[in-house]
Every structure is written in C-alpha cells, then in structure tokens.
Amino acid sequence: MWAIARTELKKTIQDKGLWFWTFVLPVIFIVAFVAIFSGDESQSYKEVVTQIIPGYTIMFAFFIMISMVIAFVKDRERGMVARIASTPLSTHHYFFGKWLPFIIIVLIQIAVLFGFGVVVYDLPLGNPLALILLSLALAFIVTGWGMAMAVIVKTENMGIALTQILALGGALLGGLWMPVEFMPEVVQNISKALPQYWALQGYKEVILSSGGIADIWLNMLILVLAGLAGGVIALLSYPRFLRQSRS
C-alpha cells in the first residue's frame, strides 16, 4: 500500500502538466479576475477577494480528477491492476495507496492558493481549525469523485471531458464565478445541490464572518458524505474495472 502511494506520488510530482493546472493557471485566473472586479463599486474589495480566491481554488481543485483518471486508466491498460489483484494486497489498500498522493496534492494546492491570497491580497483566513477541516473535506470530495470517475470511464478522453463538465459546470451553477445571490432563483435552488456551493459558502462563513466549526458543520458533512459516496461507487465498480484490465 505504501509502496503504491510513494510510486504514485513520485510519478504525479514529475507531471509538469499537473503543476500548470494546479498552481500556475489558478494564480493567473485569480490575478486577472481580482483586477477586473476590484473596481466594481457595488462590492467591497474584501468581498471580491473572498469570492474569487476561494472560488477558483475550489474550481481548480476538481481538476485533480484528470490526473486520477489518467493514473487509473494507465494502470488498467498496462495490466498493472491485474498483476496487483494477483497479490495479497486488498482492494481497499490498493485504492488507499492510489488516493493518498492526490489528496496530499489538493491540500498543498489549497494551502498555496490561500497563501498567495494572504501575501498578495491580504486575504483574512478566520478560524484556522475551521479552515483546515473545511479544506480537508474539499480535498476528500474531489479525490473521492476522482476515484469513482477513474474506475467508471473507459478512456482518458472521456474522463477529461467529464471532469471539465463537473468542474466548469459546477463552478458556474455553484456560484464560484459570481455570487449565487446574483443568479435567478431557479439557479440558486440548483446550486444548493452542488458541493461547490457548500464549499464556497463554508469558506465565506469562515473568512467573512469569522465562523467556527459549529457554523460550517453542515457544509463539511455534505462534502464528506459526497466524498464517501464517490469512494463507495469506486469500490463497487472495481470488479468491472478489474475485468477490463489487461492480463
């Protein structure tokens, strides 16, 4: 299990494309959109920064699913899944070894982007413990959904397309690009069914209102339950995934 985790983490770190999607592009988006919307007199500078930095952090966290899909599909196509299945390593340990490096990367991504916001835009962080637990919940759901997608899709291109739909569609409807309050009522109702909405509202509660764990427990619960659902789907879909693996 730990050998799989170390190998996967080493391969992932060497992927230059991952560094671009995880750190470079989010920073470019944050800088550009803060510059565009900070001149809007209808919103305070603090509200703009609090909307944009957590919003794009959440959106780009979902792109880790692309790397997860590629990692699982390559294991399947190279016969690695079949070889591992023939060893005493359990399915749960295999998934944990593949999952751990990605959740570490997402947590680093969140820390870097929020740190950038603090240094450059004086972003307030509020309650540190609440912020950390909410970030853990966010990392948990995106990697949980990533595992589910990775064992369900048949090709890398299908996984990339679905990730873009989830990331960009969720960003639009979940209020990551603009405050939900500015959207039509029907869209506001739809947004409440999306994890992106609950993650952003949790961050706003912590940052803008100095909320604690008691104020965002529902947000964290929804994210964790959604992540668990992804993990369960991944485990249930594993037998079919194994049958597709080259021997």
Side-chain angles (χ1 to χ4, degrees):
M1 178 180 70
W2 297 112
I4 291 177
R6 288 193 298 269
T7 302
E8 192 63 50
L9 182 60
K10 183 178 179 180
K11 289 192 301 182
T12 305
I13 290 176
Q14 293 173 345
D15 183 1
K16 295 181 180 179
L18 176 69
W19 289 97
F20 177 76
W21 283 101
T22 305
F23 301 108
V24 178
L25 193 60
V27 168
I28 293 174
F29 269 70
I30 289 171
V31 171
F33 281 88
V34 168
I36 292 172
F37 291 103
S38 59
D40 187 354
E41 297 180 358
S42 64
Q43 288 184 293
S44 69
Y45 178 79
K46 184 178 180 180
E47 290 176 337
V48 169
V49 169
T50 306
Q51 169 70 32
I52 291 176
I53 295 177
Y56 281 105
T57 298
I58 295 167
M59 185 182 80
F60 281 100
F62 275 82
F63 281 96
I64 195 66
M65 292 192 289
I66 292 177
S67 297
M68 297 183 75
V69 167
I70 292 174
F72 275 83
V73 170
K74 283 184 177 179
D75 276 3
R76 186 189 67 198
E77 295 300 319
R78 293 172 179 173
M80 183 63 69
V81 176
R83 289 197 293 271
I84 290 175
S86 65
T87 69
L89 185 70
S90 68
T91 302
H92 294 79
H93 287 166
Y94 168 72
F95 273 108
F96 184 82
K98 298 289 287 186
W99 166 77
L100 185 60
F102 292 106
I103 198 168
I104 291 174
I105 291 170
V106 174
L107 290 173
I108 294 173
Q109 177 189 33
I110 294 171
V112 168
L113 296 181
F114 272 83
F116 176 80
V118 171
V119 173
V120 178
Y121 298 107
D122 196 25
L123 176 73
L125 295 180
N127 187 310
L129 182 58
L131 191 71
I132 291 171
L133 291 178
L134 183 60
S135 297
L136 283 168
L138 173 61
F140 185 72
I141 180 183
V142 298
T143 52
W145 282 20
M147 284 197 302
M149 185 181 297
V151 298
I152 290 174
V153 299
K154 294 183 178 180
T155 64
E156 291 181 9
N157 288 336
M158 182 184 297
I160 292 171
L162 289 176
T163 297
Q164 291 175 336
I165 292 172
L166 285 174
L168 300 179
L172 175 62
L173 298 176
L176 304 186
W177 291 350
M178 67 176 67
V180 174
E181 296 78 14
F182 295 168
M183 299 180 181
E185 185 176 354
V186 64
V187 178
Q188 293 184 35
N189 293 330
I190 294 173
S191 67
K192 293 178 181 178
L194 301 174
Q196 289 93 332
Y197 168 84
W198 293 101
L200 181 60
Q201 296 307 312
Y203 278 125
K204 283 187 172 182
E205 180 65 31
V206 173
I207 295 172
L208 281 177
S209 305
S210 300
I213 297 173
D215 300 300
I216 61 168
W217 69 269
L218 180 60
N219 305 70
M220 292 189 294
L221 179 62
I222 290 173
L223 296 178
V224 170
L225 290 178
L228 285 173
V232 170
I233 292 172
L235 289 172
L236 293 176
S237 303
Y238 179 75
R240 184 181 65 85
F241 179 73
L242 178 59
R243 289 194 298 269
Q244 294 174 344
S245 176
R246 294 180 179 177
S247 60

